[in-house]
Amino acid sequence: MNFETIAAASPEAVWGALAAHVRPARVREVPLEQACGAVLAQDARAALAYPPFDRATVDGYAVRSSDFNGRTARLRCIGLIRAGIANDAQLAPGTCVQINTGAPLPAGADAVVMVERSRTIAPDQVELDDAPKSGQHVERQASHRRPGDLLVRAGARIGPGAIAALAAGGASVVTIFARPQVALLSTGDELVASGESLGPAQIHDSNAAALERLVREQGGEPVVFGRCSDDEPALRASLELGLANDLLFVVGGMSKGTHDLVPGILSQLGVRWLIRGLNLKPGKPTCIGRAPGGCWVLGLPGNPVSCAVGFYLFGRCLLDGLQGLGAHEPPHLAGTLMGEMPKTDERPMYHPAEWSVGARGEVLVTPGAWRGSGDPFGLVHANALVQRPARAAGAGRGETVRFIPLDRPQ
Ligand code: AMP
Ligand code: MG
């Protein structure tokens, strides 16, 4: 691996390095019905013409435009063509055929007159009050896509609109970037699974369930390792297994305490560090590295707010890069502060907040109650992280602040 450890890293320096180094993990061919949500790895091209035949785009009468001479025409109606039914009708001069939206145009016809402009004057006679140009209300075969034309470009996330385009163009199998496999490991002697009863000095592992959900939401495949005690051999065994994935999120034990063993063991397992600690509040113990086998490692502090901030700032960026979206800096929006923010020290800060849209379309940002990085309850309504630069004075109501939205369009 060709990166050096960044000293006293700022989030911006980390994003720059991740954009330069994180590449998609693997590609797979999948049937279209399994592709939704994945990122396309190769341009998808039309297997068929679209539409596959000349067809009517409205309900009405298929006609020969030359029968009109710029005014109303009386034509003999020779039948009905329905959608989905092949026909070999042939329109002679002075005739028309009733046709439904999506039905194939008969030979000889070159336009369609809407039913709203028709009047039946005898069982087989219609008067059409129109002066259609050739091609009116007709979609020609291959007018949207010819076989081999581009349907969806590589690098696009396949949403419902792309699925519709791929289906219409006859692409039954597509090449996607595989969902990254993300090992999730919580570390700490004090942790108990949520729902289980607590012994003395124990707390529930509140980070694991949130991370599992976040990983899935952001396109990864969680591989849940559960909890591991702060015990060297046990940690080594779990971490080694975790490194067999595309990405390892390891929570807790990243700091400087006597039993913060994780970075040391990962170094022994060959992990090269992009960052070991960060100039950020919360999130100072955050570490990012890469194992010899290629697995990326994100070491997150155990405090719930620090863990969430680390995920949104860097975990999401790693997941994006591994699934072919590019490991980019998360977009920051600007909004009007609806409360007070404290001054900052030498560390820049990301603070949980709620953003919303006001009555006049303005973006409003309300900071959450700040009870420190160990407060799991401040995240309940958070959908934003407000960014405050290092050594900034406190910010007051009405000031413009930058923030990262936590929900983002896919
Ligand atoms: P650590 O990062 O291991 O130093 O832990 C920092 C704080 O976060 C300690 O108070 C831990 O008890 C707590 N903590 C660590 N891991 C978790 C977790 N998975 N869920 C909830 N709290 C945790
Ligand atoms: Mg710990």
Side-chain angles (χ1 to χ4, degrees), residues 22-28 177-184 215 219-223 225 240-249 288-291 293-298 315 318-319 321-323:
V22 183
R23 294 289 172 267
R26 285 162 287 115
V27 300
R28 281 178 63 198
F177 293 112
R179 282 173 170 267
Q181 303 264 23
V182 186
L184 299 177
V215 165
E221 197 61 63
V223 182
F225 277 72
E240 204 163 4
L241 287 174
L243 292 178
N245 293 278
D246 299 311
L247 185 52
L248 164 65
F249 287 170
I288 300 175
R290 198 166 186 208
C295 179
W296 283 92
V297 179
L298 174 60
L318 282 159
L319 278 164
L322 286 167
Q323 62 190 295

Side-chain angles (χ1 to χ4, degrees), residues 186 190-191 203-207 252-253 260 301-303:
S186 301
E190 73 278 35
L191 299 180
I203 59 163
H204 287 117
D205 177 357
S206 61
N207 291 324
D260 288 335
N303 271 321

Side-chain angles (χ1 to χ4, degrees), residues 187-190 230 252-254 259-260:
T187 74
D189 290 333
E190 73 278 35
D230 296 313
M254 301 303 301
H259 283 74
D260 288 335

Side-chain angles (χ1 to χ4, degrees), residues 170-198:
S172 53
V173 172
V174 290
T175 307
I176 57 160
F177 293 112
R179 282 173 170 267
Q181 303 264 23
V182 186
L184 299 177
L185 178 66
S186 301
T187 74
D189 290 333
E190 73 278 35
L191 299 180
V192 170
S194 59
E196 289 181 9
S197 54
L198 295 180

